[in-house]
Coordinates of all heavy atoms in Angstrom, one line a residue:
M119 N 163.9 103.0 162.7 CA 164.7 103.5 161.5 C 166.2 103.7 161.9 O 166.5 103.9 163.0 CB 164.1 104.9 161.1 CG 162.8 104.9 160.4 SD 162.4 106.6 159.9 CE 160.8 106.3 159.1
K120 N 167.0 103.8 160.8 CA 168.4 104.2 161.1 C 168.4 105.6 161.6 O 167.7 106.5 161.1 CB 169.2 104.0 159.8 CG 169.3 102.6 159.3 CD 170.2 102.5 158.0 CE 170.4 101.1 157.6 NZ 171.2 101.0 156.3
P121 N 169.3 105.9 162.6 CA 169.3 107.2 163.2 C 169.5 108.4 162.1 O 168.8 109.4 162.3 CB 170.5 107.2 164.1 CG 170.6 105.7 164.5 CD 170.2 105.0 163.2
I122 N 170.3 108.2 161.1 CA 170.5 109.2 160.2 C 169.2 109.6 159.4 O 169.0 110.7 159.1 CB 171.7 108.9 159.2 CG1 172.0 110.1 158.3 CG2 171.3 107.7 158.3 CD1 173.3 109.9 157.5
L123 N 168.4 108.5 159.1 CA 167.2 108.7 158.4 C 166.2 109.4 159.3 O 165.4 110.3 158.9 CB 166.6 107.4 157.8 CG 165.3 107.5 157.1 CD1 165.3 108.4 155.9 CD2 164.8 106.1 156.7
F124 N 166.1 108.9 160.5 CA 165.2 109.4 161.5 C 165.4 110.9 161.7 O 164.4 111.7 161.7 CB 165.5 108.7 162.9 CG 164.4 108.9 163.9 CD1 163.3 108.2 164.0 CD2 164.6 110.0 164.9 CE1 162.3 108.4 165.0 CE2 163.7 110.2 165.9 CZ 162.6 109.4 165.9
F125 N 166.6 111.4 161.9 CA 166.9 112.8 162.2 C 166.9 113.6 160.9 O 166.7 114.8 161.0 CB 168.3 112.9 162.9 CG 168.2 112.4 164.3 CD1 168.8 111.2 164.7 CD2 167.5 113.2 165.3 CE1 168.7 110.8 166.0 CE2 167.4 112.7 166.6 CZ 168.0 111.5 167.0
A126 N 167.1 113.0 159.8 CA 166.9 113.7 158.5 C 165.5 114.0 158.2 O 165.2 115.1 157.8 CB 167.5 112.8 157.3
I127 N 164.6 113.1 158.6 CA 163.1 113.4 158.5 C 162.8 114.6 159.3 O 162.0 115.5 158.9 CB 162.3 112.2 158.8 CG1 162.5 111.1 157.8 CG2 160.8 112.5 159.0 CD1 161.8 109.8 158.1
I128 N 163.3 114.6 160.6 CA 163.0 115.7 161.5 C 163.5 117.0 160.9 O 162.7 118.0 160.9 CB 163.7 115.5 162.9 CG1 163.0 114.3 163.6 CG2 163.6 116.7 163.7 CD1 163.7 113.9 164.9
F129 N 164.6 117.0 160.3 CA 165.2 118.2 159.7 C 164.3 118.7 158.6 O 163.9 119.9 158.6 CB 166.6 118.0 159.2 CG 167.2 119.2 158.6 CD1 167.9 120.1 159.3 CD2 167.2 119.3 157.2 CE1 168.5 121.2 158.7 CE2 167.7 120.4 156.5 CZ 168.4 121.4 157.3
F130 N 164.0 117.9 157.6 CA 163.3 118.3 156.4 C 161.8 118.7 156.7 O 161.3 119.6 156.1 CB 163.4 117.3 155.3 CG 164.8 117.2 154.7 CD1 165.5 116.0 154.9 CD2 165.3 118.3 154.0 CE1 166.8 116.0 154.3 CE2 166.6 118.2 153.5 CZ 167.3 117.0 153.6
V131 N 161.2 118.0 157.6 CA 159.8 118.3 158.0 C 159.8 119.7 158.7 O 158.9 120.5 158.4 CB 159.2 117.2 158.8 CG1 157.8 117.7 159.3 CG2 159.0 115.9 158.0
T132 N 160.7 119.9 159.6 CA 160.7 121.1 160.3 C 161.0 122.3 159.4 O 160.4 123.4 159.5 CB 161.8 121.1 161.5 OG1 161.5 120.0 162.4 CG2 161.8 122.4 162.2
M133 N 162.0 122.1 158.5 CA 162.3 123.2 157.5 C 161.1 123.4 156.6 O 160.9 124.6 156.2 CB 163.6 122.8 156.7 CG 164.8 122.9 157.6 SD 165.1 124.5 158.3 CE 165.2 125.6 156.9
G134 N 160.4 122.4 156.2 CA 159.3 122.5 155.4 C 158.2 123.3 156.1 O 157.5 124.2 155.5
T135 N 158.0 123.1 157.4 CA 157.0 123.8 158.2 C 157.4 125.3 158.3 O 156.6 126.2 158.2 CB 156.9 123.2 159.6 OG1 156.6 121.8 159.5 CG2 155.8 123.8 160.4
A136 N 158.7 125.5 158.5 CA 159.2 126.9 158.6 C 159.0 127.6 157.3 O 158.6 128.8 157.2 CB 160.7 126.9 158.9
G137 N 159.1 126.9 156.2 CA 158.9 127.5 154.8 C 157.4 127.8 154.7 O 157.1 128.9 154.1
L138 N 156.5 126.9 155.1 CA 155.1 127.2 155.0 C 154.7 128.4 155.8 O 153.8 129.2 155.4 CB 154.3 126.0 155.5 CG 154.3 124.7 154.6 CD1 153.6 123.6 155.3 CD2 153.6 125.0 153.3
W139 N 155.4 128.6 157.0 CA 155.1 129.8 157.8 C 155.4 131.1 157.1 O 154.7 132.1 157.1 CB 155.8 129.7 159.1 CG 155.5 131.0 160.0 CD1 156.4 132.0 160.2 CD2 154.3 131.3 160.7 NE1 155.8 133.0 161.0 CE2 154.5 132.5 161.3 CE3 153.1 130.6 160.9 CZ2 153.5 133.1 162.1 CZ3 152.1 131.2 161.6 CH2 152.3 132.4 162.2
E140 N 156.6 131.0 156.3 CA 157.0 132.2 155.6 C 156.0 132.5 154.4 O 155.7 133.6 154.1 CB 158.4 132.0 155.0 CG 159.5 131.9 156.1 CD 159.6 133.1 156.9 OE1 159.4 134.3 156.4 OE2 159.8 133.0 158.2
I141 N 155.4 131.4 153.9 CA 154.4 131.6 152.8 C 153.2 132.2 153.4 O 152.6 133.1 152.8 CB 154.1 130.2 152.2 CG1 155.3 129.7 151.4 CG2 152.8 130.4 151.3 CD1 155.1 128.3 150.8
Y142 N 152.8 131.8 154.6 CA 151.7 132.4 155.3 C 151.9 133.9 155.6 O 151.0 134.7 155.3 CB 151.5 131.6 156.7 CG 150.6 132.4 157.6 CD1 149.2 132.4 157.5 CD2 151.1 133.1 158.7 CE1 148.4 133.1 158.4 CE2 150.3 133.8 159.6 CZ 148.9 133.8 159.4 OH 148.1 134.4 160.3
E143 N 153.1 134.2 156.0 CA 153.4 135.6 156.3 C 153.3 136.4 155.0 O 152.8 137.6 155.0 CB 154.8 135.8 156.9 CG 154.9 135.4 158.4 CD 156.2 135.8 159.0 OE1 157.2 136.1 158.2 OE2 156.3 135.8 160.2
F144 N 153.8 135.9 153.9 CA 153.7 136.5 152.6 C 152.3 136.8 152.2 O 152.0 137.9 151.7 CB 154.5 135.7 151.6 CG 154.4 136.2 150.2 CD1 155.2 137.2 149.7 CD2 153.4 135.7 149.3 CE1 155.1 137.7 148.4 CE2 153.3 136.2 148.0 CZ 154.2 137.2 147.6
I145 N 151.5 135.8 152.3 CA 150.1 135.9 151.9 C 149.3 136.9 152.8 O 148.6 137.8 152.3 CB 149.3 134.5 152.0 CG1 149.9 133.6 150.9 CG2 147.8 134.7 151.8 CD1 149.4 132.2 151.1
M146 N 149.6 136.9 154.1 CA 148.9 137.8 155.0 C 149.4 139.3 154.7 O 148.6 140.2 154.8 CB 149.2 137.5 156.5 CG 148.6 136.1 156.9 SD 146.8 136.0 156.6 CE 146.2 137.3 157.7
D147 N 150.6 139.4 154.4 CA 151.1 140.8 154.0 C 150.4 141.3 152.8 O 150.1 142.5 152.7 CB 152.6 140.7 153.7 CG 153.4 140.7 155.0 OD1 152.9 140.9 156.1 OD2 154.7 140.5 154.9
R148 N 150.2 140.4 151.8 CA 149.5 140.8 150.6 C 148.0 141.2 150.9 O 147.5 142.1 150.3 CB 149.6 139.7 149.5 CG 151.0 139.3 149.1 CD 151.7 140.4 148.3 NE 152.2 141.5 149.0 CZ 153.3 141.4 149.8 NH1 154.0 140.3 150.0 NH2 153.7 142.5 150.5
L149 N 147.4 140.4 151.7 CA 145.9 140.6 152.0 C 145.7 141.8 152.9 O 144.7 142.5 152.7 CB 145.4 139.3 152.6 CG 145.3 138.0 151.7 CD1 144.8 136.9 152.5 CD2 144.4 138.3 150.5

Side-chain angles (χ1 to χ4, degrees):
M119 288 183 177
K120 292 183 178 180
I122 188 168
L123 178 59
F124 190 88
F125 288 106
I127 290 174
I128 291 175
F129 177 85
F130 288 115
V131 172
T132 300
M133 287 305 298
T135 306
L138 288 173
W139 179 258
E140 293 302 322
I141 292 173
Y142 164 78
E143 285 189 347
F144 174 80
I145 293 173
M146 294 307 293
D147 282 349
R148 301 289 75 75
L149 293 176

